[in-house]
Amino acid sequence: MKKIIAAFLIGAIALTSTFAAKKNTVVKLGVVGSIYEDLWAPAQKALKKQGIDLKFVQFSDYVTPNNALANGEIDLNAFQHRIFLQNEIQNHGYDVKLIGNTFIIPLNLYSVKVKSVSELKKGSVVAIPNDVTNGGRAIKVLQAAGLITLKAEAGFNPTVNDIAENKSGIVIKELAANTIPSALKDVDAAIVNGNYALDFGIKTESAIFKDTSVDEKQYWNLIAARGKDLKDPAKVEIFKKIVKAFQTKETEKVFNKDFGGYFIKEGWDIDEF
């Protein structure tokens, strides 16, 4: 009888565990750079208690995550700022929507060869990201640093063709953003995206010029979802929980304690649904 009862209890426990496992909803979140797993750790832990299993899907570039989201390979992504998403939608027709704001990070100028902007002279090679939106932001950083002057009619996302005067004589080299940190030793200076700078251990205090565009709303980073999924009330409810789980004091503590304020929260008081 004891063996029968024990077997029954074991079976009941197994069924309960299976049922509990089935209740967990797996949500795949696309990110670029291991740093995002640290930033999302408090949210991931909180969501687990709510029956939501947040799984990170790592990408090595900025091109793939929106394509993966649009094709349903992942459920959400969180790696880009607003202007980048707008450009992706315009160029590829993705049905991808902003559902929540995360933070803004600086796009600083770094060098291992010179200690100040004034040391950059004619012929000095400066690398910038080759994608339209980060490249445009980088060019504005170079102007703020006093290295170039843009044409008065230059738009929000300027290109090298919008440079009116290159008074410093620098040579601008456009490279894929994810390759710039490793190329830093081969150029005189480089604009490095924040997530890649952190992944490569590049400290903000080592920047020879710090980004001054951190208050620009178009550079707020975000969480994105497929437009199709936002028509499903059940998915919307889950996504809202995910956004809410990220926008907490616990996440902000990670920003400040673990990364020295490198990340600055933005737009947490705005409901984007």
Side-chain angles (χ1 to χ4, degrees), residues 45-64:
K45 183 178 179 181
L47 289 166
K48 192 78 171 179
K49 296 176 182 177
Q50 300 177 54
I52 299 171
D53 189 5
L54 192 66
K55 298 287 189 182
F56 301 115
V57 179
Q58 282 287 353
F59 295 92
S60 61
D61 60 70
Y62 292 146
V63 177
T64 317

Side-chain angles (χ1 to χ4, degrees), residues 205-223:
E205 54 265 30
S206 69
I208 61 172
F209 184 80
K210 292 188 176 181
D211 184 8
T212 57
S213 66
V214 292
D215 293 326
E216 173 55 58
K217 190 174 182 179
Q218 289 283 30
Y219 296 135
W220 289 4
N221 279 48
L222 57 89
I223 304 166

Side-chain angles (χ1 to χ4, degrees), residues 150-219:
L150 291 171
K151 297 174 183 176
E153 65 272 20
F156 184 80
N157 253 348
T159 69
V160 290
N161 294 325
D162 292 310
I163 297 173
E165 183 184 6
N166 184 350
K167 48 194 170 186
S168 62
I170 60 170
V171 176
I172 298 174
K173 187 173 185 178
E174 297 176 279
L175 301 172
N178 62 331
T179 68
I180 292 179
S182 57
L184 192 57
K185 64 183 183 298
D186 300 317
V187 297
D188 295 290
I191 299 283
V192 184
N193 287 70
N195 59 315
Y196 292 132
L198 285 164
D199 277 348
F200 278 78
I202 302 172
K203 306 295 184 182
T204 54
E205 54 265 30
S206 69
I208 61 172
F209 184 80
K210 292 188 176 181
D211 184 8
T212 57
S213 66
V214 292
D215 293 326
E216 173 55 58
K217 190 174 182 179
Q218 289 283 30
Y219 296 135

Side-chain angles (χ1 to χ4, degrees), residues 91-138:
N91 289 340
H92 303 288
Y94 294 142
D95 180 24
V96 174
K97 310 287 185 183
L98 155 69
I99 64 168
N101 300 298
T102 53
F103 49 75
I104 190 166
I105 50 179
L107 196 64
N108 296 332
L109 180 64
Y110 297 94
S111 176
V112 295
K113 294 184 179 180
V114 302
K115 295 182 178 180
S116 70
V117 172
S118 62
E119 293 181 52
L120 295 174
K121 301 175 181 179
K122 184 177 180 179
S124 294
V125 178
V126 178
I128 68 170
N130 66 357
D131 60 272
V132 175
T133 56
N134 286 299
R137 186 180 177 189

Side-chain angles (χ1 to χ4, degrees), residues 18-29 43-44 46-56 75-76 229 232-242:
T18 303
F19 180 70
K22 287 181 178 178
K23 283 183 67 178
N24 279 1
T25 301
V26 176
V27 177
K28 295 179 182 178
L29 175 70
Q44 185 184 44
L47 289 166
K48 192 78 171 179
K49 296 176 182 177
Q50 300 177 54
I52 299 171
D53 189 5
L54 192 66
K55 298 287 189 182
F56 301 115
D75 304 295
L76 301 170
D229 288 342
D232 183 337
K235 288 186 177 181
V236 168
E237 190 62 30
I238 291 170
F239 293 166
K240 283 184 176 181
K241 289 180 180 179
I242 292 171

